[in-house]
Amino acid sequence: MSVLVYVEADGGIVKKSSLEAVAYGAEIAKGAGSSAIAIATGTVAEAELANLGKFGASKILHVSDERLNDGGIQATANVVFQAAEKESAGTLVMARSSLVDAIASRVAIKLGASVVTNVVDLPDTSNGFVVKRGVYTGKAFANVAVPGDKKVITIAKNAISPVESGDAATVEAFSANLSDADFAVKRTKVEKAEGDILLPEADKVISGGRGLKAPENWGMIEELAKTLGAATACSKPVSDMEWRPHHEHVGQTGIKISPTLYIAVGISGAIQHLAGVNSSKVIVVINKDAEAPFFKAADYGIVGDAFEVVPKLTEAIKEVI
Amino acid sequence: MKILVCISHVPDTTTKIKFDGNKLDENGVQFIIGPYDDYALARAVEIQGEKGATVTVLNVGTASTEPTIRKALAIGADDAIRVDAEPTDAMFVAQQIVAVAKAENYDMILMGRESSDFNGGLVHGLVGEMMGWPSIAPCMKLELNGDSATMAREIEGGKEYLEVGLPFVAGVQEPIAEWKIPNMRGIMMARKKPLKVIPPVEVEGVTEYQSFTLPEGKSECKIIDPDNIGELVNLLKNEAKVL
Ligand SMILES: Cc1cc2nc3c(=O)[nH]c(=O)nc-3n(C[C@H](O)[C@H](O)[C@H](O)COP(=O)(O)OP(=O)(O)OC[C@H]3O[C@@H](n4cnc5c(N)ncnc54)[C@H](O)[C@@H]3O)c2cc1C
Ligand SMILES: Nc1ncnc2c1ncn2[C@@H]1O[C@H](COP(=O)(O)O)[C@@H](O)[C@H]1O
């Protein structure tokens, strides 16, 4: 049975997380002696899709229906299901995103498949099919046996590091059967910060907490983020007070991120905050209180006043990159 | 209007997670209503106040979850159902919810965007698909107007606004409502509110949680002198190799 990978694009460009999903799917296919096929929806450049061959896809199905650009949950779930049926897919792999998180369950029911989300590593297939997934909000991992011959898996960022090899693959138009019922939920408006580096995808993240005192003090955080090519994030009280937009809030009740570098400025490091960021590869903490709990979870720390340290750090980084 | 609110019973968010063999070490652990589920309950109770809805809370759990269910009743739910079973995975929980929902005519099913133990983020979509209803998550705003609702859903870097006809399932998060704290009167009244215990329906093919591990602890944090920021940049570049 083949492996199907759902590929998401943003502004016509395939997301980096989807490249990871293709590489992940290709690994599973290789182990099972089958092939990995990708399915993409909406407007995506043909060359972008063909390029997925280099990450291990043998063929790419493309449903170019523009109505799917609105990211409809019901409609996208139905398309992915139909592609899985067409290709008799045993395993469906998707990289976590706001859309994938919403469709994985629906596709699983349509397929009669088992479903596991937030998988952090390749499966262990030595005895059945066992995956490692994050549980207790980042505080632990579970090894979960997934029964049955149909499986839906969503993977966390960095579950695999994709390497480019191989050749471009063929792109095949696929037309799914969609009815008006699939589009019953209407999108009326989108509010999106354009041009920013999106937090869930970001490789580096600079985060500010209540220690920054007021929203107008975020200039230096943004400056540091710009210098590093990083996304900005914040603690919960900061978004609760509307100093920063809600989608920047990380932690137990916010977004969970796993960048390679997380710099926390003026954040105490409450357990609920750590839950969202503790799978970052390297954590740097800047806090004026040497007793702040965040230092226990950090790799590097500076005990000092953020208003002095951050601008100096930005200057020092500019000198080396 | 009838609203079903699904609540999980999970360790308090400050809990240091430890395992006792293959299961959570519950020693000294305080259990709470799942933080996101608490938002779902709060919004349902607001709608009850605004439009006169009845709010039923549902939990799939053993008898040990009853204090958590009573707390939901004290916050303002009208009655409660407990499906008497260990919630082994999202599919199991979803099937129990669907069995209850199919026997009644709910106008909406509200729950959290994800549980803080399994973190599956699955139950709302599973229930929505099995009911043949739309499922919206993470839903951060929900306003009813007649037989449809306006919702805001969080997407990467912002939000989208949606128009959704009733009935639907929503998996919610803040700032949909403010958490509600039960008052004395609510606690007194909760004792007399009906809590029905029903047996589970049979479910096949659930996933099996075989073992748990804890993340690797960080080694000692290196403290760098604020007057020597160059040293931090040097370490990030040459030791951690992240610049
Ligand atoms: C159910 C629940 C869920 C929660 N979920 C989340 C979540 O998802 N995310 C989250 O972040 N929180 C969450 N919280 C809240 C969490 O418990 C903390 O209250 C919160 O993280 C604190 O935010 P903070 O560190 O920005 O603020 P504070 O705790 O006030 O810390 C401010 C820090 O700034 C430092 N500081 C002050 N001035 C300076 C300066 N000039 N220079 C440098 N440092 C300075 C201080 O020493 C202090 O350590 C949750 C709480 C609950 C109960
Ligand atoms: N045992 C349970 N009983 C009732 N509702 C639950 C249970 N477990 C999860 N839920 C609901 O389903 C939501 C999503 O859970 P999950 O898919 O496990 O992340 C939670 O936020 C709860 O509202």
Side-chain angles (χ1 to χ4, degrees):
Chain A
M1 284 205 276
S2 63
V3 176
L4 185 73
V5 182
Y6 174 58
V7 166
E8 253 187 286
D10 188 30
I13 306 295
V14 171
K15 287 183 169 185
K16 187 168 158 264
S17 55
S18 286
L19 301 179
E20 295 180 355
V22 170
Y24 189 102
E27 276 301 315
I28 294 184
K30 204 161 77 188
S34 68
S35 54
I37 296 155
I39 164 87
T41 55
T43 311
V44 202
E46 170 119 8
E48 274 288 308
L49 292 178
N51 190 49
L52 295 173
K54 298 186 182 154
F55 294 90
S58 62
K59 176 171 82 179
I60 295 97
L61 302 178
H62 184 205
V63 187
S64 56
D65 192 331
E66 283 178 13
R67 292 177 297 177
L68 294 165
N69 289 348
D70 273 357
I73 295 169
Q74 273 65 234
T76 311
N78 198 354
V79 169
V80 175
F81 159 67
Q82 290 179 35
E85 289 281 278
K86 171 175 154 25
E87 299 296 338
S88 330
T91 308
L92 171 63
V93 177
M94 309 190 261
R96 288 196 69 181
S97 73
S98 69
L99 181 60
V100 162
D101 285 351
I103 67 172
S105 46
R106 300 197 70 113
V107 181
I109 295 289
K110 287 178 198 286
L111 285 169
S114 304
V115 52
V116 213
T117 54
N118 200 26
V119 172
V120 297
D121 210 344
L122 282 165
D124 176 356
T125 52
S126 58
N127 181 14
F129 192 98
V130 178
V131 288
K132 181 176 177 186
R133 65 179 301 268
V135 290
Y136 292 102
T137 320
K139 292 176 193 168
F141 296 100
N143 294 307
V144 184
V146 192
D149 53 4
K150 287 189 185 172
K151 302 171 179 72
V152 175
I153 290 175
T154 75
I155 59 171
K157 193 169 170 283
N158 293 334
I160 190 170
S161 347
V163 273
E164 235 174 301
S165 66
D167 297 319
T170 51
V171 182
E172 190 180 299
F174 175 54
S175 73
N177 258 324
L178 293 172
S179 70
D180 286 348
D182 290 306
F183 296 96
V185 174
K186 293 263 177 318
R187 180 193 257 189
T188 52
K189 193 169 65 165
V190 185
E191 284 171 6
K192 210 167 161 171
E194 292 297 341
D196 288 359
I197 294 168
L198 295 177
L199 186 54
E201 297 256 313
D203 201 43
K204 301 188 182 76
V205 175
I206 318 295
S207 191
R210 195 145 57 182
L212 291 173
K213 311 279 188 298
E216 56 271 22
N217 296 333
W218 249 262
M220 63 182 189
I221 298 293
E222 279 165 355
E223 180 70 24
L224 176 56
K226 211 169 82 195
T227 305
L228 279 169
T232 51
C234 67
S235 66
K236 183 173 190 290
V238 165
S239 70
D240 285 348
M241 291 182 293
E242 295 183 13
W243 291 2
R244 300 296 292 175
H246 186 271
H247 63 259
E248 282 197 2
H249 147 208
V250 290
Q252 170 124 29
T253 48
I255 302 179
K256 282 110 203 141
I257 55 172
S258 47
T260 51
L261 176 63
Y262 183 73
I263 304 185
V265 185
I267 301 177
S268 57
I271 191 162
Q272 298 97 343
H273 183 86
L274 297 180
V277 302
N278 57 6
S279 44
S280 308
K281 191 165 158 249
V282 173
I283 295 178
V284 177
V285 167
I286 300 170
N287 196 304
K288 70 171 184 194
D289 174 10
E291 301 298 318
F294 218 146
F295 286 115
K296 291 207 174 62
D299 299 280
Y300 303 104
I302 292 188
V303 180
D305 183 352
F307 296 95
E308 286 165 24
V309 173
V310 174
K312 279 203 269 179
L313 178 60
T314 307
E315 287 316 307
I317 288 173
K318 277 183 184 159
E319 279 172 29
V320 301
I321 60 173
Chain B
M1 170 142 331
K2 289 174 61 157
I3 307 175
L4 183 66
V5 179
C6 305
I7 59 166
S8 55
H9 160 89
V10 297
D12 176 90
T13 53
T14 56
T15 307
K16 242 188 121 124
I17 298 293
K18 293 189 299 284
F19 295 96
D20 177 5
N22 240 357
K23 51 191 264 298
L24 181 73
D25 179 355
E26 294 190 3
N27 230 324
V29 174
Q30 282 263 18
F31 282 85
I32 58 167
I33 301 173
Y36 294 114
D37 321 354
D38 222 353
Y39 286 115
L41 177 63
R43 186 67 191 119
V45 169
E46 283 175 7
I47 295 172
Q48 175 199 52
E50 290 159 15
K51 321 241 167 192
T54 48
V55 176
T56 301
V57 285
L58 169 61
N59 169 260
V60 180
T62 57
S64 64
T65 71
E66 289 202 0
T68 304
I69 300 176
R70 288 283 171 208
K71 185 175 171 208
L73 292 169
I75 286 172
D78 297 289
D79 58 356
I81 302 169
R82 179 170 67 80
V83 178
D84 189 21
E86 189 74 46
T88 42
D89 82 344
M91 189 67 86
F92 180 86
V93 170
Q95 301 261 18
Q96 308 308 327
I97 295 171
V98 168
V100 170
K102 287 224 160 129
E104 288 285 337
N105 285 311
Y106 295 106
D107 296 282
M108 69 185 89
I109 303 177
L110 302 185
M111 57 182 90
R113 68 172 291 184
E114 73 177 37
S115 56
S116 56
D117 46 5
F118 284 117
N119 302 117
L122 284 168
V123 174
H124 31 79
L126 294 172
V127 171
E129 184 67 32
M130 285 189 270
M131 296 298 290
W133 297 359
S135 52
I136 313 299
C139 167
M140 53 200 300
K141 185 169 177 277
L142 192 173
E143 297 297 337
L144 290 175
N145 20 47
D147 54 7
S148 77
T150 314
M151 295 186 195
R153 173 175 173 267
E154 188 155 85
I155 56 174
E156 284 80 2
K159 50 187 142 178
E160 60 177 8
Y161 290 86
L162 302 170
E163 201 58 49
V164 188
L166 266 48
F168 58 77
V169 182
V172 316
Q173 67 174 33
E174 76 287 3
I176 194 162
E178 299 262 354
W179 281 326
K180 298 201 172 6
I181 297 159
N183 57 27
M184 211 48 207
R185 187 163 162 270
I187 294 167
M188 300 298 289
M189 281 169 56
R191 290 187 192 152
K192 299 198 197 77
K193 288 180 178 171
L195 192 173
K196 195 164 77 183
V197 180
I198 60 172
V201 294
E202 212 170 299
V203 178
E204 280 172 26
V206 295
T207 52
E208 186 199 339
Y209 281 69
Q210 295 186 327
S211 59
F212 293 94
T213 52
L214 295 174
E216 285 169 38
K218 288 265 178 194
S219 49
E220 191 84 349
C221 172
K222 279 192 188 162
I223 299 290
I224 292 113
D225 185 342
D227 292 324
N228 191 9
I229 301 254
E231 175 61 10
L232 174 63
V233 176
N234 177 35
L235 288 166
L236 289 176
K237 193 175 161 77
N238 299 314
E239 185 179 77
K241 300 193 175 17
V242 290
L243 288 188

